């Protein structure tokens, strides 16, 4: 506002003055704009603060794991459990070899009676179906027959001579007569029912992929089922009897032919016995030692607990009792050398067992048939695996012999040993009476295998879909494909997991039994919940992420590139694959990386669908490894964190797994951002 | 009013003017636009009754106020307008080398290999300089290194870029200056040896020096190619073109030798436009 003063007055220069005064509502001297700014800024910084707190908490809990774990490993060594564990490893290596040979043997023996076994299997399946459908009549008949038997029993116990029993006898006889009259029509009814049911097609549905019995056996099966409809039938129908007999004979004949095979397997089982016995024998003192060591290490804590309790209580009697208990706690360090003497003594015994075991196993292994020498697919595969397992057995014997010879209870566990026991430990065993192991490898391989499957399936699929939608499809197609794919992201993962268990798993297993798909490694699958199942579902879940980001990347390619390329006489496809996609390639890579992040971090689906078997999948199956169940890093946290004591080693181990996941995600995101930044430069 | 009078007599006069100018050497005509109407959306013609002939080895400049349809006509020639689903020629015929371009038997992809185009906004692909120039040959399936090498060198030389880039052929084309990038685009276009090169305001995004270089380049290139260039720069039109066509509101007002158009145009609108008294 202009000042209404004299222009020549020195106090107010002859100038127009504007008043820059804040307008509008004021809060603590701040304008509305500032308030909004502070509100949003506050939210952003709150998010960052929470993120930092989470990281800090995670890191703190996780890294406390290492000292605890280190102590735990030390006690594992000092108690001699480690020593026994070496033998355990040898036994496991032997068991792997033995059981694959064993499976091969039985596959060969059972092969000869395949037709009979199929008939018997179909018979049982049809019978179960029929029983199910006619369960009402069937059950009633059974009850009446049972009742009749009981009445007859009771009657035979009573004495018609004695006065008191006469009335009883009369009523029971009446009952007996009634039952005898009722049973035959019921029997007829059941027979009629079963006859009708047998003519239904679905009764003969043996499940997808199940082998059909030969056509000429169908009447026999039918008759046998009808025969079974007399629930009091003592024997089985002659047809079934006969089939069983033939099956048995054929198996016996095959076994006779494979006598040497059988002997070899029996030999394998026998030669390992001394080693197994020694291991079992040594386990006891080791467990004793463990108890002693644990008791020693927790003693101060226990005493403190009693003392604290005494301090807190008012009741003098109670106080005295608690103080006495505190006194009772002895803190006595075990004499490690003495308690481990038994193991040092066992070294020579082990050596005298191990050497002949190795020699005998070699001769036995050489006696096993070669994969070429057997007929069935299963036997071939298992014998091939037996070869791998034999090599591993030899390695295990050699390395463990050395470890046993050099073992000492008072070599402290090194930091490298303790860290690698976690990062590349092959066992994750918890709540065990022997010893808990926290090895990441089984979980890591599970997560990795699932992610690999998910990526190999979803990446080509999503990228192709994105290219199609963005570059080649008509507007109409775009307007429904895009929302449809994006909708996948809206499906709650628990619902997908449910679907995976109930529908997809079953379907996959059925598919795996189809005859002409048997070339696929690992088929037919025994399990419903497998790495493959989880991987495929995760692939589905990752599609929206990869698709949307890839589509964005393609969208960001300037239209001018397309136009230039077309004007050069390139076809649409040439333009897409030589100009558009190469230009967007870093965006596509970033999309894949973020998709990977999504996959590795997914919990619900893998927890429900992966089968949750904590074991490194058996890679000797080759690609068939994907048909095994596995557990994952995310799954284990979700499953176990609720049940562990906070602050325990197990608890910390789970946090450490979380930390590993966190680091992986961080790296992936970081890489994605780096790639994207490069992309934005063009 | 004089304006109205001239408006009425537009059609006959303009057609006679353009035919009279080119009648003598009809054999040399490579592009014949014959009474063409064009619309982007059905019912509204953006080009009306366009008839013009363009001769081999000549540079033809298309001038006219913004929105009068110069780019549209250019994009009709190599059928880039096909990319717009509703766009279509509603009347007349365009013949290039005696072939009706909009004949169903004509493959636009093949056509574009013979009718190259340089855009206003230079736009090398995010590939190396070498790959940019070799692009057109590669999409034609040529893989032989020696052929590609030869074509790249020849095109870059024709585009006057060879000496500047010969030591860094495998660096990104995006690392060049604006003028160099535009010349790279020209090299890319002529690498496939088209018969005709269409240029849509090739210099409007460039500095004066780059503009001069490209103008010189155009005068050299016309030995080999027939060039149609859209420009808003009158001086540029006089410097590079042999023929000039003036468009106004979708119609071809006048087409003649550049010297005649700029010195004694036969139409008043043309005179108004080129002398800046546009109204
Ligand atoms: N893709 C399109 N869809 C619909 N109409 C269009 C399209 N492109 C251009 N037009 C219209 O066609 C007419 C001619 O446009 P054109 O781009 O050919 O003009 P121009 O002479 O090249 O102008 P400028 O000198 O500004 O480049 C304009 O009215 C414009 O609005
Ligand atoms: Mg234009």
């Amino acid at each position: 506002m202009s000042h209404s003063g004299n222009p020549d007055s020195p106090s107010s220069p002859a100038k127009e003055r504007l008043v820059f005064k804040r307008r509008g509502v004021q809060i603590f001297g701040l304008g509305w704009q500032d308030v909004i700014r502070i509100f949003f800024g506050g939210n952003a910084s709150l998010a960052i603060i929470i993120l930092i707190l989470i990281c800090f908490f995670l890191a703190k809990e996780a890294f406390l794991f290492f000292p605890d774990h280190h102590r735990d490993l030390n006690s594992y060594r000092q108690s001699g459990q480690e020593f026994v564990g070496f033998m355990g490893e040898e036994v496991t290596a032997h068991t792997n070899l033995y059981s694959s040979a064993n499976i091969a043997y039985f596959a060969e023996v059972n092969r000869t009676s395949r037709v009979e076994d199929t008939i018997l299997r179909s018979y049982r399946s049809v019978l179960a179906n029929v029983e199910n459908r006619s369960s009402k009549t069937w059950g009633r008949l059974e009850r009446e027959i049972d009742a009749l038997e009981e009445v007859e029993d009771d009657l035979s116990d009573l004495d018609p001579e004695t006065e008191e029993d006469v009335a009883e006898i009369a009523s029971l006889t009446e009952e007996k007569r009634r039952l005898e009259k009722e049973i035959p029509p019921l029997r007829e009814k059941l027979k009629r029912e079963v006859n009708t049911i047998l003519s239904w097609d679905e009764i003969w549905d043996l499940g997808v992929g199940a082998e059909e019995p030969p056509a000429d056996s169908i009447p026999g099966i039918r008759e046998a089922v009808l025969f079974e409809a007399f629930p009091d039938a003592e024997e089985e129908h002659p047809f079934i009897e006969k089939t069983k007999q033939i099956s048995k004979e054929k198996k016996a004949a095959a076994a006779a032919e494979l006598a040497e095979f059988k002997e070899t397997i029996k030999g394998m089982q026998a030669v390992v016995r001394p080693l197994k016995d020694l291991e079992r024998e040594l386990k006891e003192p080791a467990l004793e030692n463990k108890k002693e060591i644990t008791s020693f290490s927790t003693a101060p804590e226990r005493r403190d607990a009693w003392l604290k309790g005494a301090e807190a209580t008012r009741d003098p009697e109670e106080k005295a009792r608690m103080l006495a208990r505190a006194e009772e706690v002895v803190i006595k360090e075990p004499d490690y050398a003495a308690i481990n003497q038994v193991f040092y003594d066992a070294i020579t015994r082990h050596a005298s067992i191990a050497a002949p075991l190795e020699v005998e196993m070699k001769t036995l292994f050489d006696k096993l048939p070669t994969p070429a020498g057997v007929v069935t697919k299963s036997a071939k595969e298992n014998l091939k695996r037996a070869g791998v397992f034999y090599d591993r057995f030899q390695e295990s014997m050699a390395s463990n012999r050395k470890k046993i010879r050099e073992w000492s209870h008072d070599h402290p566990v090194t930091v490298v040993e303790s860290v690698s026991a976690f990062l590349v430990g092959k066992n994750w065993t918890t709540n065990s009476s022997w010893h808990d192991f926290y090895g990441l490898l089984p979980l890591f391989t599970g997560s990795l295998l699932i992610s690999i499957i998910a990526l190999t399936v979803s990446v080509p699929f999503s990228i192709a879909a994105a290219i199609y939608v963005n570059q080649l499809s008509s507007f109409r197609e775009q307007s429904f494909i895009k929302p449809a794919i994006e909708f996948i992201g809206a499906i709650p993962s628990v619902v997908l997991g449910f679907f995976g268990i109930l529908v997809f798993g079953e379907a996959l297993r059925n598919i795996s039994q189809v005859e002409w798909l048997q070339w696929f490694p690992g088929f037919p699958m025994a399990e419903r919940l497998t790495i493959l199942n989880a991987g495929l579902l995760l692939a589905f879940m990752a599609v929206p992420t990869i698709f949307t980001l890839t589509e964005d990347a393609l969208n960001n390619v300037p239209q001018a590139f397309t136009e230039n390329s077309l004007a050069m006489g390139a076809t649409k496809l040439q333009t897409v694959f030589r100009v558009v996609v190469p230009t967007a390639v870093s965006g596509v890579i970033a999309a894949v990386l973020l998709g990977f992040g999504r996959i590795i971090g997914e919990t619900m689906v893998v927890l429900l669908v992966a089968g949750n078997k904590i074991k490194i999948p058996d890679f000797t199956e080759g690609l068939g490894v994907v048909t095994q169940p596995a557990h994952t890093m995310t799954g284990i946290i979700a499953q176990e964190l609720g049940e562990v004591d906070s602050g325990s080693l197990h608890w910390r181990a789970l946090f450490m797994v979380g930390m590993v996941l966190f680091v992986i995600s961080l790296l992936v995101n970081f890489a994605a951002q780096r790639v994207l930044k490069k992309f934005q430069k063009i | 009013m004089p304006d109205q009078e001239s408006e009425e007599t537009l059609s006959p006069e303009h057609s006679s003017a353009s035919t009279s100018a080119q009648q003598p050497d009809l054999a040399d005509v490579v592009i014949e636009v014959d009474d063409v109407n064009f619309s982007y959306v059905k019912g509204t013609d953006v080009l009306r009754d366009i008839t013009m002939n363009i001769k081999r080895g000549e540079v033809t400049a298309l001038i006219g106020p913004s929105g009068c349809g110069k780019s549209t006509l250019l994009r009709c020639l190599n059928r880039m307008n096909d990319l717009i689903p509703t766009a279509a020629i509603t009347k007349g015929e365009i013949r290039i080398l005696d072939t009706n371009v909009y004949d169903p038997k004509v493959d636009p992809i093949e056509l574009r290999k013979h009718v190259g185009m340089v855009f206003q906004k230079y736009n090398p692909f995010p590939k190396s300089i070498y790959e940019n120039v070799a692009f057109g040959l590669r999409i034609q399936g040529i893989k032989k290194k020696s052929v590609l090498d030869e074509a790249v060198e020849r095109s870059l030389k024709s585009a006057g870029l060879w000496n500047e880039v010969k030591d860094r052929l495998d660096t990104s084309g995006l690392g060049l200056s604006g003028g160099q990038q535009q010349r790279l685009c020209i090299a890319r276009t002529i690498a496939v040896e088209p018969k005709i090169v269409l240029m849509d305001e090739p210099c409007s995004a460039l500095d004066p020096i780059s503009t001069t270089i490209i103008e010189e380049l155009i005068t050299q290139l016309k030995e080999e190619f027939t060039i149609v260039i859209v420009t808003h720069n009158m001086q540029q039109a006089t410097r590079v073109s042999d023929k000039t066509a003036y468009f106004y509101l979708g119609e071809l007002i006048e087409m003649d030798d550049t010297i005649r158009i700029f010195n004694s145009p036969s139409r008043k609108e043309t005179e108004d436009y080129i002398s800046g008294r546009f109204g």
Side-chain angles (χ1 to χ4, degrees):
Chain A
M1 305 276 97
S2 68
H3 216 69
S4 58
N6 181 354
D8 299 325
S9 154
S11 61
S12 57
K15 272 189 189 157
E16 227 183 353
R17 268 230 218 124
L18 292 175
V19 182
F20 303 103
K21 195 167 168 284
R22 289 176 194 273
R23 281 189 288 167
V25 191
Q26 299 265 318
I27 301 166
F28 298 127
L30 297 171
W32 189 231
Q33 304 277 331
D34 296 319
V35 172
I36 291 177
R37 211 176 62 87
I38 288 170
F39 176 69
F40 284 114
N43 285 357
S45 31
L46 189 67
I48 290 174
I49 288 169
I50 291 175
L51 182 70
I52 290 172
L53 281 180
I54 289 176
C55 293
F56 179 75
F57 176 68
L58 199 65
K60 174 178 148 258
E61 291 302 331
F63 283 111
L64 280 179
F65 165 76
F66 281 115
D68 282 7
H69 190 221
H70 192 250
R71 260 195 300 283
D72 185 61
L73 289 176
N74 257 324
S75 91
Y76 181 61
R77 177 166 292 172
Q78 284 169 338
S79 66
Q81 284 179 301
E82 187 183 47
F83 182 86
V84 185
F86 295 146
M87 292 183 198
E89 271 174 38
E90 292 176 339
V91 171
T92 312
H94 175 274
T95 309
N96 285 339
L97 168 56
Y98 165 73
S99 47
S100 41
N102 201 29
I103 294 172
Y105 171 73
F106 278 104
E108 283 297 282
V109 169
N110 292 342
R111 161 187 65 96
T112 51
S113 58
R114 206 172 111 191
V115 175
E116 286 73 25
D117 291 345
T118 309
I119 294 175
L120 290 173
R121 206 177 312 119
S122 322
Y123 161 68
R124 275 191 292 272
S125 154
V126 172
L127 182 62
N129 282 343
V130 170
E131 264 191 53
N132 235 333
R133 311 270 163 147
S134 61
S135 58
K136 228 168 153 186
T137 324
W138 201 300
R140 204 172 132 210
L141 182 57
E142 250 167 355
R143 274 195 304 280
E144 304 233 317
I145 290 174
D146 285 350
L148 180 61
E149 257 172 35
E150 216 168 281
V151 169
E152 280 171 348
D153 265 11
D154 287 353
L155 272 177
S156 66
D157 284 351
L158 293 171
D159 185 359
E161 304 295 303
T162 39
E163 200 59 24
E164 310 109 57
D165 288 355
V166 172
E168 178 98 45
I169 287 174
S171 86
L172 282 177
T173 321
E174 178 65 18
E175 175 76 5
K176 184 182 169 193
R177 203 167 299 132
R178 186 185 65 81
L179 286 170
E180 275 172 348
K181 217 166 84 201
E182 250 171 48
I183 286 172
L186 208 53
R187 212 163 250 190
E188 281 309 305
K189 184 170 174 234
L190 179 62
K191 208 164 181 178
R192 274 200 307 280
E193 249 181 64
V194 169
N195 231 332
T196 331
I197 292 170
L198 273 173
S199 67
W200 296 349
D201 274 348
E202 73 244 40
I203 292 298
W204 295 88
D205 182 9
L206 307 171
V208 183
E211 212 174 318
E212 296 283 335
D216 57 359
S217 70
I218 302 279
I221 294 175
R222 178 189 283 270
E223 213 158 280
V225 171
L226 259 178
F227 180 79
E228 259 317 287
F230 297 91
D232 53 346
E234 293 282 306
E235 298 159 7
E236 283 182 309
H237 188 266
F239 173 70
I240 298 300
E241 290 259 297
K242 200 171 126 226
T243 313
K244 274 191 178 164
Q245 187 60 32
I246 297 174
S247 159
K248 218 161 147 192
E249 277 163 15
K250 281 190 175 172
K251 277 186 186 134
E257 236 170 77
L258 294 169
E260 202 195 330
F261 196 171
K262 188 173 185 181
E263 279 308 307
T264 313
I265 286 170
K266 274 196 171 158
M268 282 186 172
Q269 201 179 9
V271 291
V272 79
R273 199 148 292 144
L275 181 61
K276 272 189 171 169
D277 289 344
L278 178 61
E279 189 213 357
R280 194 168 319 128
E281 188 189 318
L282 290 176
K283 264 189 172 174
E284 260 169 61
L287 275 176
E288 286 292 317
N289 293 350
K290 178 188 178 181
K291 225 188 261 166
E292 208 176 323
I293 292 171
T294 319
S295 154
F296 165 67
S297 65
T298 57
E301 253 169 62
R302 276 180 291 141
R303 197 181 51 189
D304 287 353
W306 286 119
L307 288 176
K308 264 200 194 122
E311 219 165 272
T313 181
R314 293 245 177 78
D315 182 2
E317 221 170 276
E318 187 77 344
K319 189 173 236 152
R321 198 178 64 81
M322 284 187 169
L323 283 174
R325 293 296 293 270
E327 280 301 301
E328 271 171 36
V329 177
V330 274
I331 307 183
K332 183 175 144 273
E333 183 152 18
D335 177 355
Y336 295 114
I339 61 175
N340 279 310
Q341 193 50 47
V342 51
F343 305 116
Y344 292 114
D345 293 344
I347 294 179
T348 41
R349 255 176 85 199
H350 174 264
S352 67
I353 290 172
L357 173 64
E358 270 186 274
V359 176
E360 279 173 70
M361 279 304 286
K362 174 152 179 40
T363 32
L364 285 168
F365 178 74
D366 288 340
K367 270 198 226 156
L368 275 183
T370 57
V374 293
V375 186
T376 57
K377 184 188 168 204
S378 161
K380 277 182 200 298
E381 273 173 10
N382 276 290
L383 282 177
K384 224 181 273 164
R385 293 170 63 195
V388 179
F389 284 134
Y390 178 65
D391 292 343
R392 290 208 192 149
F393 169 74
Q394 280 184 315
E395 276 162 33
S396 168
M397 289 305 282
S399 72
N400 282 303
R401 181 177 334 124
K402 186 159 169 280
K403 282 185 198 162
I404 286 172
R405 215 185 307 123
E406 290 170 2
W407 181 76
S408 158
H409 71 275
D410 60 12
H411 278 175
V413 176
T414 63
V415 175
V416 175
E417 268 180 311
S418 111
V419 171
S420 61
F422 172 73
L423 286 180
V424 292
K426 291 192 183 116
N427 277 318
W428 179 281
T429 319
T430 54
N431 299 330
S432 139
S433 57
W434 174 245
H435 184 256
D436 288 355
F437 295 95
Y438 302 101
L440 188 65
L441 218 50
L443 309 172
F444 185 77
T445 39
S447 286
L448 195 69
L449 278 177
I450 290 175
S451 306
I452 289 174
I453 295 179
L455 276 183
T456 42
V457 175
S458 65
V459 165
F461 183 82
S462 330
I463 292 181
I467 289 176
Y468 180 75
V469 166
N470 190 269
Q471 296 286 322
L472 307 171
S473 68
S474 69
F475 185 73
R476 287 264 297 282
E477 283 173 302
Q478 254 186 47
S479 65
F480 80 83
I481 297 179
K482 256 171 84 166
I485 291 184
E486 274 152 20
F487 179 73
I488 298 173
I491 304 175
S493 54
V494 70
V495 174
L496 264 187
F498 226 68
F499 171 81
I501 294 176
L502 296 178
V503 185
F504 194 56
E506 194 62 44
L508 264 186
R509 189 168 58 176
N510 287 341
I511 290 171
S512 82
Q513 264 140 15
V514 173
E515 195 80 39
W516 52 269
L517 280 177
Q518 292 311 310
W519 53 267
F520 194 88
F523 276 15
M525 308 198 288
E527 312 272 347
R528 250 178 343 144
L529 305 181
T530 57
I531 295 174
L532 183 65
N533 189 349
L536 292 178
L537 277 181
L538 280 192
F540 186 63
M541 287 190 73
V543 165
T545 310
I546 304 178
F547 169 83
T548 312
L549 292 171
T550 305
E551 225 248 343
D552 282 353
L554 294 175
N555 241 345
N556 281 340
V557 175
Q559 183 63 30
F561 285 153
T562 313
E563 214 167 57
N564 272 270
S565 167
L566 289 174
M568 298 281 304
T571 61
K572 185 74 202 176
L573 276 180
Q574 283 173 328
T575 304
V576 169
F577 289 106
R578 286 170 188 254
V579 178
V580 180
V581 175
T583 308
V585 76
S586 29
V588 176
I589 293 172
V592 171
L593 284 173
L594 291 172
F596 175 70
R598 173 99 179 77
I599 290 167
I600 196 107
E602 169 55 38
T603 308
M604 214 20 143
V605 165
V606 292
L607 186 62
L608 291 172
V609 178
N612 298 351
K613 186 172 177 193
I614 312 178
K615 192 180 162 226
I616 299 180
D618 180 3
F619 285 94
T620 52
E621 267 196 52
L623 261 186
V625 69
V626 300
T627 60
Q628 296 170 14
H631 216 314
T632 55
M633 295 193 281
T634 45
I636 202 95
I637 297 176
Q639 189 182 354
E640 294 185 346
L641 197 58
E643 298 162 7
V644 298
D645 299 333
S646 66
S648 67
L649 180 60
H650 187 180
W651 196 68
R652 300 233 152 96
L654 292 175
F655 267 89
M656 197 58 219
V657 175
M659 195 69 204
V660 171
L661 269 172
F662 186 72
V663 169
I664 292 176
S665 298
L666 213 66
L667 288 179
V668 167
N669 266 300
F670 179 70
Q673 267 172 21
R674 283 291 293 272
V675 177
L676 265 183
K677 207 167 274 165
K678 200 179 132 217
F679 167 63
Q680 276 156 358
K681 275 199 202 120
I682 342 170
Chain B
M1 290 210 167
D3 268 27
Q4 249 168 359
E5 271 180 35
S6 52
E7 201 73 48
E8 281 159 19
T9 53
L10 176 83
S11 280
E13 206 186 291
H14 115 85
S15 53
S16 68
S18 56
T19 35
S20 69
Q22 286 164 31
Q23 210 82 49
D25 357 76
L26 202 57
D28 263 358
V29 170
V30 280
I31 304 175
E32 290 170 80
V33 182
D34 189 0
D35 200 20
V36 161
N37 276 21
F38 173 88
S39 65
Y40 282 109
V41 188
K42 222 174 171 176
T44 47
D45 285 344
V46 174
L47 296 177
R48 278 183 305 278
D49 310 325
I50 307 289
T51 299
M52 63 194 289
N53 292 336
I54 292 172
K55 281 199 298 181
R56 188 187 309 278
E58 277 187 346
V59 177
T60 305
L62 310 184
I63 61 170
S66 186
C68 67
K70 307 178 295 289
S71 299
T72 305
L73 176 64
L74 214 57
R75 294 164 66 91
C76 281
L77 298 181
N78 65 348
R79 289 188 61 174
M80 281 301 277
N81 283 328
D82 287 15
L83 302 182
I84 299 159
T86 52
I89 288 209
T90 50
K91 191 184 90 180
E93 228 178 66
I94 295 177
R95 284 184 295 278
I96 291 181
L97 297 167
D98 291 330
T99 312
N100 178 6
V101 168
Y102 284 85
D103 190 283
K105 276 181 252 159
V106 168
D107 180 0
I109 306 286
E110 285 306 312
L111 170 72
R112 289 179 202 140
K113 287 175 187 165
H114 296 291
V115 185
M117 189 163 194
V118 176
F119 293 80
Q120 171 179 10
K121 176 84 186 74
Y122 45 86
N123 223 319
F125 300 130
K127 298 172 185 285
S128 68
I129 294 172
Y130 183 96
E131 284 305 322
N132 260 291
V133 182
F135 181 83
L137 297 167
R138 284 209 192 276
I139 57 177
Q140 291 181 19
I142 295 167
K143 293 201 185 72
K144 215 163 153 209
K145 186 87 172 65
S146 58
V147 179
L148 293 176
D149 282 351
E150 189 273 321
V152 168
E153 183 174 343
R154 176 179 46 74
S155 317
L156 283 172
K157 276 182 176 156
S158 312
L161 198 58
W162 176 250
N163 287 328
E164 288 156 68
V165 301
K166 63 171 183 256
D167 300 323
R168 46 167 177 158
L169 289 177
D170 50 358
T171 59
S172 170
L174 300 171
L176 298 172
S177 77
Q180 287 173 323
Q181 290 193 24
Q182 187 62 296
R183 276 182 283 152
L184 177 61
C185 290
I186 294 173
R188 182 174 72 184
T189 306
I190 61 182
V192 290
E193 302 183 353
K195 299 280 182 300
I196 298 159
V197 177
L198 311 173
M199 296 184 171
D200 195 348
E201 303 183 39
C203 301
S204 66
L206 299 182
D207 63 295
I209 295 175
S210 302
T211 304
T212 318
I213 295 175
I214 291 194
E215 283 175 8
E216 277 166 14
L217 180 57
I218 291 170
T219 30
Q220 280 163 28
L221 289 177
K222 77 176 181 187
E223 313 274 304
E224 280 175 82
F225 310 101
T226 306
I227 295 174
V228 184
I229 177 170
V230 172
T231 178
H232 278 288
N233 183 329
M234 297 305 125
Q235 281 77 39
Q236 184 169 70
T238 53
R239 282 194 296 263
V240 302
S241 70
D242 304 306
K243 292 273 181 354
T244 297
Y246 171 60
F247 287 80
Y248 182 62
L249 292 179
E251 296 184 25
L252 175 60
I253 305 295
E254 181 172 6
M255 174 166 173
D256 211 331
D257 291 339
T258 302
I259 306 171
R260 269 200 61 194
I261 291 278
F262 283 93
N263 292 327
S264 51
S266 49
R267 302 277 313 211
K268 186 163 182 311
E269 297 96 317
T270 318
E271 197 182 337
D272 285 348
Y273 179 72
I274 57 176
S275 56
R277 280 179 287 112
F278 177 69

